[in-house]
């Protein structure tokens, strides 16, 4: 490829790198009463960025023009609860479990953080959500704030080479 032609495009203001959909959001309000052995959708009410409008109602949805490979990261901070000490985090694709993570601590009086990361091939209109589940004996709440977050970005368009 002609590097001079590429440099001319850059100097004219064109972006040579493909820009895929991306978002970042956090739980500005707690998700409360998460029960034992029941997957519960986590609330991410505050968006840090979402330039393409792909994130709404705590759900990422692939735009019609952007199928491809996406990378997601999420974390749940669970409120301290003296009676038990385990939690799950899961990514759901189109309403079905995609992948699950698990955290256990020996000090139940501390807050817990469960994190997960996953790359996945998605088609147009596919969607990803984050769920939490208690594995102890009582309900538990998430902690509101930036330590409960969900973010993702496209890193390769469908059919891209290299």
């Amino acid at each position: 490829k002609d590097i001079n032609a590429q440099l001319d495009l850059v100097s004219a203001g064109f972006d040579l790198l493909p820009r895929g959909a991306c978002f970042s959001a956090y739980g500005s309000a707690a998700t409360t009463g998460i029960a034992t052995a029941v997957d519960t959708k986590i609330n991410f009410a505050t968006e840090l960025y979402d330039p393409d409008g792909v994130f709404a109602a705590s759900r990422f949805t692939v735009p019609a023009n952007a199928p491809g490979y996406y990378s997601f990261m999420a974390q749940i901070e669970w409120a301290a609860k003296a009676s038990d000490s385990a939690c799950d985090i899961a990514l759901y694709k189109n309403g079905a479990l995609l992948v699950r993570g698990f955290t256990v601590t020996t000090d139940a009086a501390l807050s817990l953080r469960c994190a997960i990361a996953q790359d996945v091939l998605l088609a147009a209109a596919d969607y990803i959500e984050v769920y939490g589940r208690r594995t102890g004996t009582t309900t538990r709440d998430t902690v509101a704030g930036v330590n409960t977050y969900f973010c993702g970005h496209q890193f390769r368009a469908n059919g891209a080479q290299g």
Side-chain angles (χ1 to χ4, degrees):
K1 295 184 180 181
D2 183 359
I3 189 67
N4 290 325
Q6 290 180 5
L7 291 174
D8 289 342
L9 287 173
V10 170
S11 65
F14 289 95
D15 185 359
L16 294 180
L17 297 174
R19 187 180 68 83
C22 62
F23 73 95
S24 181
Y26 68 92
S28 57
T31 303
T32 59
I34 297 173
T36 298
V38 176
D39 284 352
T40 302
K41 186 176 169 182
I42 303 301
N43 178 30
F44 300 96
T46 301
E47 293 179 10
L48 295 173
Y49 58 85
D50 182 13
D52 300 303
V54 295
F55 190 78
S58 297
R59 171 190 285 183
F60 164 80
T61 303
V62 178
N65 64 347
Y69 295 88
Y70 285 82
S71 183
F72 297 98
M73 294 167 284
Q75 177 175 279
I76 300 170
E77 182 174 12
W78 297 88
K81 190 91 165 196
S83 61
D84 56 10
S85 58
C87 66
D88 286 8
I89 184 173
L91 294 179
Y92 271 58
K93 175 185 173 187
N94 300 332
L97 179 64
L98 175 65
V99 63
R100 184 181 303 281
F102 181 73
T103 298
V104 177
T105 183
T106 56
D107 189 346
L110 298 176
S111 64
L112 300 171
R113 291 183 184 161
C114 300
I116 197 164
Q118 183 69 38
D119 295 340
V120 61
L121 175 61
L122 298 173
D126 281 349
Y127 63 91
I128 300 290
E129 299 168 305
V130 176
Y131 281 73
R133 180 175 67 176
R134 296 291 310 118
T135 55
T137 58
T138 62
T139 63
R140 201 167 199 159
D141 303 335
T142 66
V143 174
V146 296
N147 288 327
T148 297
Y149 66 85
F150 180 26
C151 60
H153 66 276
Q154 185 179 30
F155 65 88
R156 183 176 174 187
N158 221 5
Q161 300 297 314

